[in-house]
Amino acid sequence: MPEAPMNHLAIIMDGNGRYAKSLGHPRLWGHRKGAEAFERTIRLCAKYGVRVLTVYAFSTENWKRPEEEVSGLFSLMVEYCTKKLPTMVEAGIRIKFLGERTRLPQKVQDAVKLCEESTAAGDKVLVQIALNYGGRDDIVRAARAAMQDGIAPEELTEEKLSSYLDTAGVPDPDLILRTGGEARLSNFLLWQAAYSEMLVMPVYWPEFDEPHFLEAMEYFQKRDRRFGGLTK
Ligand code: IPE
Ligand code: IPE
Ligand code: MG
């Protein structure tokens, strides 16, 4: 079987809380370990030639969590963005954020902007971080923007609408991987997932490392992607 390249890997990084609990730590400790797994995964993408990595960091529904956890997550993101920025730039990583930004605290919006601007020239791996992201919200914001641009109903094609999504210009994910054992999308990349392969792994996100990454790559290589047609 010819090896289809995995250009775009998308990950629902789930299981930080359960991982922490299983070891008797607070949930935020789990999120911190999750951030380390994220960093490892970026390096693995660079090593194995995955050009785009999209990760689900905070959903439009995650605001329902206790204020302490939400603000802890944001502080962790700001800290991480600032501290790891030079390493990312050096490694040729380009960072882009997906999601609605105006609801984010100002310090997070500033960090988002700084990260995107400082890494704009990166050409090795594009890392898309979905933050205050919801697939439905993405589609609604795209439709609104198209209407605001005066796009006529008959002009609105799939390509046109795609060009208004947060992921405009980026190919759809080849594989959507969810750690933590649950088989649902939780509002992640609903439009873009149309023909993505899917894999659920029982491992908690903070435990994710090279063997799991390679397992996912191998799983992807074995898929017969028909896109609605017939096997060649
Ligand atoms: C995923 O881990 C990270 C975020 C949603 C921010 P969880 O925090 O959902 O961990 P579990 O699912 O409760 O174990
Ligand atoms: C999905 O995980 C969101 C992120 C990983 C950021 P959740 O833990 O929020 O999803 P549900 O609530 O189990 O569906
Ligand atoms: Mg979860």
Side-chain angles (χ1 to χ4, degrees), residues 13-18 27 62 65 178-179 182 184 186:
M13 311 182 289
D14 198 24
N16 295 352
R18 279 165 284 165
R27 292 182 61 85
N62 286 146
R65 297 189 179 197
R178 181 168 183 146
T179 57
E182 270 153 335
R184 56 176 171 257
S186 302

Side-chain angles (χ1 to χ4, degrees), residues 24-50:
H25 292 288
R27 292 182 61 85
L28 265 171
W29 180 89
H31 292 313
R32 200 164 268 284
K33 293 288 170 196
E36 289 170 18
F38 170 48
E39 208 187 335
R40 277 200 297 278
T41 307
I42 297 177
R43 278 201 295 272
L44 288 167
C45 287
K47 178 172 173 184
Y48 292 101
V50 174

Side-chain angles (χ1 to χ4, degrees), residues 149-162:
D149 277 356
I151 304 292
E154 61 276 14
E155 282 179 85
L156 193 69
T157 58
E158 292 187 8
E159 289 70 31
K160 192 54 132 186
L161 191 65
S162 293

